[in-house]
Amino acid sequence: MTFYRRKYGEEQPYWPLGKYKLRLPFIHYRLEIPELIQGLVIFTIGLSMVEIMTSVVGMSFLSALTTVILTQFLMLIPSTLGVPFVSGFITPLLPILIVFLGEFEPGVEAIQALIAVQLLTAVIFLILGITGLGTKFVLLLPSSLKGGILIGAGIGAIMVEIQEGGRLAETPISIIIGSVLCLYIMFSNSFKKISEKYPIFKFIANYGIMPAVIVAIIVGWAVGEYSSPKIEWGITLPSISAIAEISPLVIGFPNKSLFVKAIPIAILAYVIAYGDIIVADRLVSRTKKIRKDEKIEYSLGQVHTLTSIRNFLHALFAPHPGLAGPIFTAGTASVTERYTFGRKAMDSIYSGTNTLVISLCLAMFVTPLISLFQPFLPIALSITLILTGYLCITLGVQQLKTETEIGVAGITAIVLTVYGAAHGLIVGLILYFVVQKQTLFKKREMEVLKTNF
C-alpha cells in the first residue's frame, strides 16, 4: 500500500525536487515481492567485486566490503530521483580497467590510478550532461569505432572468464550451465513461447538472472567446484576507518601523469556507458508501448548528471573498479520484462527498480546471507560478465552496416582487447581515416532513442 495512488495514464506520484522527481517507498510506490526476493540473491554480483578490489587494486577486505555497501546505497540515487533504470556498474569496462590497473603497484598507487579514472569519468558525464553534447559526441564518433569499442569490451568481458587460468578453467561446469541458462531465459524466443503457455516458466522469467545464479550455485556445490559455506551470524556494518585507507582526502590525489594515462579509459567508459543508456532506454520504451496505465517521463541529461554525482562521490570516498554506470543490465531487463505483465504484477516501473535496489542494500547488512553466498561469489560475477559481454557484442554489431565498418571495428576490438584502451582508440581512428575515407564530422543517424536533454 502507498499514501499516493496513480490514476490511469498519469505519472507515478512524486515530490518535485528542482528538475528531479523524488519518490519514497510506501509514500509514492509499493515494494514488489519478486524484486525483494531477487535482490537477496543477486546482491552477490556487487559483493563479488571484493575479489577484484583486494587482488588488483590492493584494498583491504574491510575497505572493499565497505565500498560495496556504499555502492549499493549510491545506486538508489537515480531511481529515487526519477530515472526508471536499475543503476549499476560500467561492467564491460572491467577487463580493460583491470589491465590498466595492472600497470601499477597494488595499494596506494593502484587506488590513485582508479581514482583518476573515476574522477575523469565523472567530469565527462557532467560536462556532456549539462551541455547536452552527449548525443552529439556519440553521433560524431564513427560507427566503426563505436562498434569496435563495444565489441572489444564484450570480448574482453568474456575473455576474462574463458582465458587460460580464468574462472571457466577452474569451475567449468557451474559457469557453463549458469551462463547458458541465463542467456536462454533472458533472450531465447523458444523460452518466451514456453513461458506464454506455462505459468511456471513465466514465474521463472519474473526473476531474471536469479534462477541461473541459483542453479549454478547448486551445481557448483554438488560437483565439488565450490566448498560448503560456513554460516556466520550478526549484522555487517561499514567501517569509517576503512574508508580513510582509500580516500584521496587521506592518501592524496593522483598526480598529473596518472590523469593523462587515465584519459583513454575514461573516454571508453563514457562510450560504453552511453551504449548502456541506449539499451536501458530501449527496454523502457518497449514497456511504454505495452503499459498505457503509467506515463514515464525522464531526461538523459538527468541520467548523465546523476551518474556524474555517483562517480564523484565514489572517487572521493570509495573508489570502485566497476565505476558508477547508468544501468545494471540484468536487473533493468528483469524489471522491465516483469513490468510488461501488467499493473497487478508490478504497480509502477519505479516500484520495481527501487525495490530491487533497496533489497540489494538491505542484503549487504545481513551477515548470514553474506557468509552463505561468500564461497559462490565468483559465479555471480562470471554470469554477469558473460551476460554483459553478450549484450555489448550484440549492440556493437548493430552499429555496423558496411564491410569496411565491420573490418575496422573488428581490428579495433582486437587491439583494444589485447593492448588496452589507448592503443585501441588510436588504431581505430587511423583505420577509420585510412580505410573508410570519410569525414569524422559527417552526421549520421543512430538507431537510438530521441534524447531530451
Side-chain angles (χ1 to χ4, degrees):
M1 296 295 293
T2 59
F3 184 80
Y4 296 104
R5 183 162 176 80
R6 181 182 78 251
K7 295 181 180 179
Y8 187 92
E10 294 184 353
E11 273 193 273
Q12 189 71 4
Y14 62 88
W15 289 333
L17 192 64
K19 63 180 180 179
Y20 300 102
K21 300 172 181 179
L22 176 65
R23 294 182 176 93
L24 301 176
F26 305 114
I27 298 175
H28 301 106
Y29 62 86
R30 74 186 189 192
L31 295 183
E32 304 287 349
I33 299 301
E35 277 65 40
L36 278 175
I37 297 173
Q38 188 176 173
L40 297 179
V41 175
I42 63 173
F43 84 99
T44 54
I45 295 170
L47 193 62
S48 63
M49 293 289 178
V50 168
E51 181 181 346
I52 297 173
M53 295 182 202
T54 54
S55 59
V56 178
V57 185
M59 295 182 186
S60 68
F61 177 80
L62 189 56
S63 295
L65 182 60
T66 300
T67 296
V68 169
I69 293 174
L70 293 178
T71 297
Q72 306 291 55
F73 277 92
L74 292 179
M75 283 170 57
L76 270 170
I77 292 175
S79 53
T80 298
L81 293 178
V83 176
F85 310 156
V86 181
S87 60
F89 314 131
I90 308 179
T91 311
L93 188 72
L94 266 175
I96 301 167
L97 186 56
I98 288 172
V99 172
F100 172 73
L101 294 176
E103 300 174 8
F104 305 95
E105 186 70 24
V108 173
E109 189 177 340
I111 293 171
Q112 287 181 331
L114 175 57
I115 291 169
V117 173
Q118 197 137 34
L119 280 173
L120 286 175
T121 303
V123 170
I124 291 173
F125 267 98
L126 183 62
I127 293 175
L128 296 184
I130 291 176
T131 61
L133 294 175
T135 303
K136 293 181 181 179
F137 170 78
V138 177
L139 283 172
L140 291 175
L141 205 63
S143 295
S144 54
L145 198 56
K146 287 182 289 190
I149 290 171
L150 290 170
I151 294 170
I155 292 173
I158 295 173
M159 283 296 296
V160 168
E161 300 302 317
I162 67 175
Q163 66 187 358
E164 185 177 353
R167 279 183 286 266
L168 181 65
E170 297 175 356
T171 55
I173 299 175
S174 54
I175 290 180
I176 290 173
I177 291 177
S179 300
V180 171
L181 183 60
C182 176
L183 295 175
Y184 177 69
I185 291 174
M186 299 198 71
F187 302 109
S188 170
N189 290 326
S190 64
F191 185 82
K192 289 180 181 178
K193 291 179 180 179
I194 293 173
S195 62
E196 290 172 0
K197 293 181 179 179
Y198 304 101
I200 183 63
F201 292 105
K202 188 173 185 179
F203 175 80
I204 292 172
N206 278 346
Y207 290 89
I209 193 175
M210 188 185 78
V213 173
I214 291 177
V215 170
I217 287 173
I218 294 172
V219 170
W221 174 77
V223 301
E225 289 184 341
Y226 290 92
S227 59
S228 300
K230 296 179 181 178
I231 307 299
E232 299 177 6
W233 301 96
I235 298 175
T236 303
L237 296 174
S239 169
I240 296 177
S241 61
I243 289 297
E245 298 175 8
I246 57 177
S247 171
L249 302 174
V250 177
I251 66 173
F253 282 86
N255 56 38
K256 291 181 180 178
S257 64
L258 272 181
F259 278 112
V260 171
K261 291 179 181 178
I263 289 173
I265 306 294
I267 293 173
L268 282 189
Y270 179 77
V271 174
I272 293 170
Y274 195 92
D276 286 341
I277 292 174
I278 294 170
V279 171
D281 193 84
R282 282 178 175 172
L283 290 171
V284 174
S285 296
R286 172 177 169 267
T287 66
K288 289 181 180 180
K289 297 175 182 178
I290 300 173
R291 289 280 301 267
K292 303 297 184 181
D293 61 285
E294 180 177 12
K295 182 180 179 181
I296 303 174
E297 286 190 348
Y298 62 98
S299 77
L300 294 193
Q302 294 172 348
V303 175
H304 278 68
T305 304
L306 295 174
T307 302
S308 173
I309 290 172
R310 288 170 57 220
N311 275 297
F312 270 122
L313 291 173
H314 270 297
L316 293 177
F317 303 106
H320 193 293
L323 306 184
I327 175 181
F328 168 28
T329 307
T332 303
S334 173
V335 169
T336 53
E337 180 63 25
R338 205 173 74 78
Y339 179 71
T340 62
F341 295 165
R343 190 167 184 177
K344 288 184 178 180
M346 183 185 295
D347 180 52
S348 166
I349 189 72
Y350 297 101
S351 64
T353 54
N354 279 293
T355 298
L356 183 57
V357 183
I358 288 172
S359 182
L360 296 174
C361 293
L362 295 177
M364 290 302 306
F365 291 100
V366 184
T367 303
L369 267 180
I370 294 175
S371 59
L372 172 65
F373 288 109
Q374 191 167 6
F376 313 108
L377 294 181
I379 295 179
L381 180 59
S382 295
I383 293 176
T384 301
L385 284 172
I386 291 172
L387 171 62
T388 303
Y390 176 93
L391 286 170
C392 279
I393 292 171
T394 301
L395 187 59
V397 171
Q398 290 174 354
Q399 306 291 320
L400 312 174
K401 295 183 176 67
T402 68
E403 289 184 2
T404 52
E405 286 182 343
I406 293 171
V408 171
I411 295 175
T412 301
I414 293 170
V415 174
L416 190 149
T417 303
V418 176
Y419 293 103
H423 293 88
L425 287 173
I426 292 171
V427 169
L429 285 171
I430 291 173
L431 287 177
Y432 171 72
F433 283 112
V434 172
V435 178
Q436 290 184 244
K437 297 181 180 180
Q438 296 178 2
T439 173
L440 181 63
F441 300 103
K442 180 181 178 181
K443 291 186 179 181
R444 299 178 174 207
E445 287 187 5
M446 192 177 182
E447 295 177 4
V448 295
L449 46 94
K450 291 181 180 179
T451 309
N452 178 26
F453 282 95

PDB file of all heavy atoms in Angstrom, residues 215-237:
ATOM      1  N   VAL A 215      20.874 -21.911  -9.782  1.00  0.00           N
ATOM      2  CA  VAL A 215      21.184 -23.223 -10.374  1.00  0.00           C
ATOM      3  C   VAL A 215      22.691 -23.426 -10.456  1.00  0.00           C
ATOM      4  O   VAL A 215      23.206 -24.502 -10.134  1.00  0.00           O
ATOM      5  CB  VAL A 215      20.543 -23.346 -11.776  1.00  0.00           C
ATOM      6  CG1 VAL A 215      21.068 -24.583 -12.497  1.00  0.00           C
ATOM      7  CG2 VAL A 215      19.021 -23.412 -11.665  1.00  0.00           C
ATOM      8  N   ALA A 216      23.422 -22.394 -10.857  1.00  0.00           N
ATOM      9  CA  ALA A 216      24.877 -22.503 -10.962  1.00  0.00           C
ATOM     10  C   ALA A 216      25.509 -22.765  -9.595  1.00  0.00           C
ATOM     11  O   ALA A 216      26.461 -23.549  -9.479  1.00  0.00           O
ATOM     12  CB  ALA A 216      25.446 -21.219 -11.572  1.00  0.00           C
ATOM     13  N   ILE A 217      24.976 -22.111  -8.567  1.00  0.00           N
ATOM     14  CA  ILE A 217      25.491 -22.327  -7.212  1.00  0.00           C
ATOM     15  C   ILE A 217      25.259 -23.768  -6.767  1.00  0.00           C
ATOM     16  O   ILE A 217      26.164 -24.435  -6.236  1.00  0.00           O
ATOM     17  CB  ILE A 217      24.822 -21.346  -6.228  1.00  0.00           C
ATOM     18  CG1 ILE A 217      25.367 -19.931  -6.450  1.00  0.00           C
ATOM     19  CG2 ILE A 217      25.048 -21.785  -4.783  1.00  0.00           C
ATOM     20  CD1 ILE A 217      24.661 -18.874  -5.640  1.00  0.00           C
ATOM     21  N   ILE A 218      24.045 -24.262  -6.983  1.00  0.00           N
ATOM     22  CA  ILE A 218      23.715 -25.633  -6.571  1.00  0.00           C
ATOM     23  C   ILE A 218      24.578 -26.641  -7.323  1.00  0.00           C
ATOM     24  O   ILE A 218      25.129 -27.581  -6.730  1.00  0.00           O
ATOM     25  CB  ILE A 218      22.213 -25.909  -6.814  1.00  0.00           C
ATOM     26  CG1 ILE A 218      21.357 -25.041  -5.895  1.00  0.00           C
ATOM     27  CG2 ILE A 218      21.895 -27.391  -6.591  1.00  0.00           C
ATOM     28  CD1 ILE A 218      19.874 -25.097  -6.178  1.00  0.00           C
ATOM     29  N   VAL A 219      24.711 -26.443  -8.631  1.00  0.00           N
ATOM     30  CA  VAL A 219      25.529 -27.347  -9.443  1.00  0.00           C
ATOM     31  C   VAL A 219      26.989 -27.287  -9.006  1.00  0.00           C
ATOM     32  O   VAL A 219      27.655 -28.322  -8.838  1.00  0.00           O
ATOM     33  CB  VAL A 219      25.399 -26.998 -10.941  1.00  0.00           C
ATOM     34  CG1 VAL A 219      26.423 -27.768 -11.762  1.00  0.00           C
ATOM     35  CG2 VAL A 219      23.986 -27.308 -11.435  1.00  0.00           C
ATOM     36  N   GLY A 220      27.509 -26.058  -8.817  1.00  0.00           N
ATOM     37  CA  GLY A 220      28.901 -25.903  -8.401  1.00  0.00           C
ATOM     38  C   GLY A 220      29.193 -26.572  -7.076  1.00  0.00           C
ATOM     39  O   GLY A 220      30.255 -27.185  -6.887  1.00  0.00           O
ATOM     40  N   TRP A 221      28.260 -26.459  -6.144  1.00  0.00           N
ATOM     41  CA  TRP A 221      28.428 -27.103  -4.837  1.00  0.00           C
ATOM     42  C   TRP A 221      28.302 -28.616  -4.953  1.00  0.00           C
ATOM     43  O   TRP A 221      29.082 -29.371  -4.355  1.00  0.00           O
ATOM     44  CB  TRP A 221      27.380 -26.562  -3.871  1.00  0.00           C
ATOM     45  CG  TRP A 221      27.375 -27.262  -2.538  1.00  0.00           C
ATOM     46  CD1 TRP A 221      28.266 -27.086  -1.518  1.00  0.00           C
ATOM     47  CD2 TRP A 221      26.442 -28.248  -2.108  1.00  0.00           C
ATOM     48  NE1 TRP A 221      27.946 -27.913  -0.466  1.00  0.00           N
ATOM     49  CE2 TRP A 221      26.827 -28.634  -0.794  1.00  0.00           C
ATOM     50  CE3 TRP A 221      25.319 -28.842  -2.681  1.00  0.00           C
ATOM     51  CZ2 TRP A 221      26.119 -29.579  -0.072  1.00  0.00           C
ATOM     52  CZ3 TRP A 221      24.620 -29.790  -1.958  1.00  0.00           C
ATOM     53  CH2 TRP A 221      25.021 -30.157  -0.670  1.00  0.00           C
ATOM     54  N   ALA A 222      27.333 -29.095  -5.766  1.00  0.00           N
ATOM     55  CA  ALA A 222      27.078 -30.538  -5.889  1.00  0.00           C
ATOM     56  C   ALA A 222      28.251 -31.275  -6.532  1.00  0.00           C
ATOM     57  O   ALA A 222      28.562 -32.412  -6.146  1.00  0.00           O
ATOM     58  CB  ALA A 222      25.802 -30.773  -6.699  1.00  0.00           C
ATOM     59  N   VAL A 223      28.911 -30.652  -7.511  1.00  0.00           N
ATOM     60  CA  VAL A 223      30.018 -31.335  -8.202  1.00  0.00           C
ATOM     61  C   VAL A 223      31.365 -31.050  -7.557  1.00  0.00           C
ATOM     62  O   VAL A 223      32.405 -31.497  -8.043  1.00  0.00           O
ATOM     63  CB  VAL A 223      30.059 -30.932  -9.699  1.00  0.00           C
ATOM     64  CG1 VAL A 223      28.754 -31.294 -10.388  1.00  0.00           C
ATOM     65  CG2 VAL A 223      30.369 -29.438  -9.867  1.00  0.00           C
ATOM     66  N   GLY A 224      31.347 -30.289  -6.475  1.00  0.00           N
ATOM     67  CA  GLY A 224      32.582 -30.051  -5.739  1.00  0.00           C
ATOM     68  C   GLY A 224      33.443 -28.916  -6.260  1.00  0.00           C
ATOM     69  O   GLY A 224      34.612 -28.789  -5.861  1.00  0.00           O
ATOM     70  N   GLU A 225      32.899 -28.079  -7.144  1.00  0.00           N
ATOM     71  CA  GLU A 225      33.685 -26.944  -7.633  1.00  0.00           C
ATOM     72  C   GLU A 225      33.770 -25.837  -6.589  1.00  0.00           C
ATOM     73  O   GLU A 225      34.693 -25.017  -6.619  1.00  0.00           O
ATOM     74  CB  GLU A 225      33.063 -26.393  -8.925  1.00  0.00           C
ATOM     75  CG  GLU A 225      33.244 -27.325 -10.124  1.00  0.00           C
ATOM     76  CD  GLU A 225      32.710 -26.739 -11.413  1.00  0.00           C
ATOM     77  OE1 GLU A 225      31.893 -25.791 -11.345  1.00  0.00           O
ATOM     78  OE2 GLU A 225      33.102 -27.231 -12.494  1.00  0.00           O
ATOM     79  N   TYR A 226      32.813 -25.823  -5.672  1.00  0.00           N
ATOM     80  CA  TYR A 226      32.826 -24.845  -4.596  1.00  0.00           C
ATOM     81  C   TYR A 226      32.578 -25.546  -3.271  1.00  0.00           C
ATOM     82  O   TYR A 226      31.837 -26.541  -3.194  1.00  0.00           O
ATOM     83  CB  TYR A 226      31.753 -23.772  -4.823  1.00  0.00           C
ATOM     84  CG  TYR A 226      32.069 -22.860  -5.988  1.00  0.00           C
ATOM     85  CD1 TYR A 226      31.600 -23.130  -7.267  1.00  0.00           C
ATOM     86  CD2 TYR A 226      32.864 -21.733  -5.807  1.00  0.00           C
ATOM     87  CE1 TYR A 226      31.901 -22.311  -8.340  1.00  0.00           C
ATOM     88  CE2 TYR A 226      33.165 -20.899  -6.875  1.00  0.00           C
ATOM     89  CZ  TYR A 226      32.682 -21.192  -8.132  1.00  0.00           C
ATOM     90  OH  TYR A 226      32.992 -20.377  -9.187  1.00  0.00           O
ATOM     91  N   SER A 227      33.195 -25.027  -2.222  1.00  0.00           N
ATOM     92  CA  SER A 227      33.056 -25.625  -0.897  1.00  0.00           C
ATOM     93  C   SER A 227      31.752 -25.187  -0.245  1.00  0.00           C
ATOM     94  O   SER A 227      31.121 -24.212  -0.665  1.00  0.00           O
ATOM     95  CB  SER A 227      34.231 -25.211  -0.014  1.00  0.00           C
ATOM     96  OG  SER A 227      34.296 -23.798   0.100  1.00  0.00           O
ATOM     97  N   SER A 228      31.361 -25.900   0.794  1.00  0.00           N
ATOM     98  CA  SER A 228      30.142 -25.551   1.522  1.00  0.00           C
ATOM     99  C   SER A 228      30.368 -24.278   2.321  1.00  0.00           C
ATOM    100  O   SER A 228      31.464 -24.050   2.854  1.00  0.00           O
ATOM    101  CB  SER A 228      29.743 -26.690   2.468  1.00  0.00           C
ATOM    102  OG  SER A 228      29.500 -27.873   1.742  1.00  0.00           O
ATOM    103  N   PRO A 229      29.355 -23.432   2.415  1.00  0.00           N
ATOM    104  CA  PRO A 229      29.517 -22.175   3.167  1.00  0.00           C
ATOM    105  C   PRO A 229      29.544 -22.404   4.674  1.00  0.00           C
ATOM    106  O   PRO A 229      28.986 -23.382   5.173  1.00  0.00           O
ATOM    107  CB  PRO A 229      28.279 -21.380   2.756  1.00  0.00           C
ATOM    108  CG  PRO A 229      27.257 -22.415   2.417  1.00  0.00           C
ATOM    109  CD  PRO A 229      28.024 -23.562   1.810  1.00  0.00           C
ATOM    110  N   LYS A 230      30.207 -21.504   5.383  1.00  0.00           N
ATOM    111  CA  LYS A 230      30.206 -21.506   6.847  1.00  0.00           C
ATOM    112  C   LYS A 230      29.388 -20.294   7.299  1.00  0.00           C
ATOM    113  O   LYS A 230      29.828 -19.155   7.174  1.00  0.00           O
ATOM    114  CB  LYS A 230      31.634 -21.420   7.382  1.00  0.00           C
ATOM    115  CG  LYS A 230      32.495 -22.638   7.017  1.00  0.00           C
ATOM    116  CD  LYS A 230      33.910 -22.491   7.564  1.00  0.00           C
ATOM    117  CE  LYS A 230      34.757 -23.710   7.172  1.00  0.00           C
ATOM    118  NZ  LYS A 230      36.161 -23.563   7.663  1.00  0.00           N
ATOM    119  N   ILE A 231      28.205 -20.590   7.803  1.00  0.00           N
ATOM    120  CA  ILE A 231      27.261 -19.526   8.144  1.00  0.00           C
ATOM    121  C   ILE A 231      27.715 -18.776   9.403  1.00  0.00           C
ATOM    122  O   ILE A 231      28.033 -19.399  10.421  1.00  0.00           O
ATOM    123  CB  ILE A 231      25.845 -20.079   8.351  1.00  0.00           C
ATOM    124  CG1 ILE A 231      25.408 -20.909   7.146  1.00  0.00           C
ATOM    125  CG2 ILE A 231      24.869 -18.940   8.606  1.00  0.00           C
ATOM    126  CD1 ILE A 231      25.358 -20.126   5.859  1.00  0.00           C
ATOM    127  N   GLU A 232      27.740 -17.449   9.291  1.00  0.00           N
ATOM    128  CA  GLU A 232      28.041 -16.590  10.439  1.00  0.00           C
ATOM    129  C   GLU A 232      26.812 -15.733  10.724  1.00  0.00           C
ATOM    130  O   GLU A 232      26.020 -15.443   9.831  1.00  0.00           O
ATOM    131  CB  GLU A 232      29.253 -15.699  10.139  1.00  0.00           C
ATOM    132  CG  GLU A 232      30.531 -16.483   9.857  1.00  0.00           C
ATOM    133  CD  GLU A 232      31.683 -15.577   9.488  1.00  0.00           C
ATOM    134  OE1 GLU A 232      31.500 -14.335   9.566  1.00  0.00           O
ATOM    135  OE2 GLU A 232      32.755 -16.084   9.105  1.00  0.00           O
ATOM    136  N   TRP A 233      26.687 -15.306  11.963  1.00  0.00           N
ATOM    137  CA  TRP A 233      25.510 -14.549  12.362  1.00  0.00           C
ATOM    138  C   TRP A 233      25.894 -13.132  12.775  1.00  0.00           C
ATOM    139  O   TRP A 233      27.021 -12.875  13.197  1.00  0.00           O
ATOM    140  CB  TRP A 233      24.785 -15.247  13.512  1.00  0.00           C
ATOM    141  CG  TRP A 233      24.359 -16.637  13.148  1.00  0.00           C
ATOM    142  CD1 TRP A 233      25.029 -17.791  13.411  1.00  0.00           C
ATOM    143  CD2 TRP A 233      23.212 -17.010  12.385  1.00  0.00           C
ATOM    144  NE1 TRP A 233      24.367 -18.875  12.878  1.00  0.00           N
ATOM    145  CE2 TRP A 233      23.242 -18.429  12.244  1.00  0.00           C
ATOM    146  CE3 TRP A 233      22.156 -16.306  11.809  1.00  0.00           C
ATOM    147  CZ2 TRP A 233      22.261 -19.122  11.560  1.00  0.00           C
ATOM    148  CZ3 TRP A 233      21.174 -16.995  11.135  1.00  0.00           C
ATOM    149  CH2 TRP A 233      21.229 -18.400  11.014  1.00  0.00           C
ATOM    150  N   GLY A 234      24.953 -12.227  12.646  1.00  0.00           N
ATOM    151  CA  GLY A 234      25.208 -10.852  13.027  1.00  0.00           C
ATOM    152  C   GLY A 234      24.799  -9.868  11.947  1.00  0.00           C
ATOM    153  O   GLY A 234      24.092 -10.213  10.999  1.00  0.00           O
ATOM    154  N   ILE A 235      25.263  -8.634  12.087  1.00  0.00           N
ATOM    155  CA  ILE A 235      24.971  -7.568  11.132  1.00  0.00           C
ATOM    156  C   ILE A 235      26.295  -7.012  10.614  1.00  0.00           C
ATOM    157  O   ILE A 235      27.215  -6.740  11.387  1.00  0.00           O
ATOM    158  CB  ILE A 235      24.154  -6.437  11.792  1.00  0.00           C
ATOM    159  CG1 ILE A 235      22.800  -6.987  12.285  1.00  0.00           C
ATOM    160  CG2 ILE A 235      23.933  -5.285  10.823  1.00  0.00           C
ATOM    161  CD1 ILE A 235      21.989  -5.961  13.051  1.00  0.00           C
ATOM    162  N   THR A 236      26.395  -6.847   9.317  1.00  0.00           N
ATOM    163  CA  THR A 236      27.596  -6.291   8.700  1.00  0.00           C
ATOM    164  C   THR A 236      27.456  -4.776   8.602  1.00  0.00           C
ATOM    165  O   THR A 236      26.483  -4.277   8.044  1.00  0.00           O
ATOM    166  CB  THR A 236      27.806  -6.877   7.290  1.00  0.00           C
ATOM    167  OG1 THR A 236      27.886  -8.297   7.377  1.00  0.00           O
ATOM    168  CG2 THR A 236      29.084  -6.343   6.670  1.00  0.00           C
ATOM    169  N   LEU A 237      28.428  -4.062   9.141  1.00  0.00           N
ATOM    170  CA  LEU A 237      28.375  -2.612   9.141  1.00  0.00           C
ATOM    171  C   LEU A 237      29.586  -2.035   8.401  1.00  0.00           C
ATOM    172  O   LEU A 237      30.683  -2.593   8.469  1.00  0.00           O
ATOM    173  CB  LEU A 237      28.356  -2.069  10.577  1.00  0.00           C
ATOM    174  CG  LEU A 237      27.130  -2.448  11.421  1.00  0.00           C
ATOM    175  CD1 LEU A 237      27.318  -1.964  12.851  1.00  0.00           C
ATOM    176  CD2 LEU A 237      25.861  -1.873  10.822  1.00  0.00           C
TER     177      LEU A 237
END
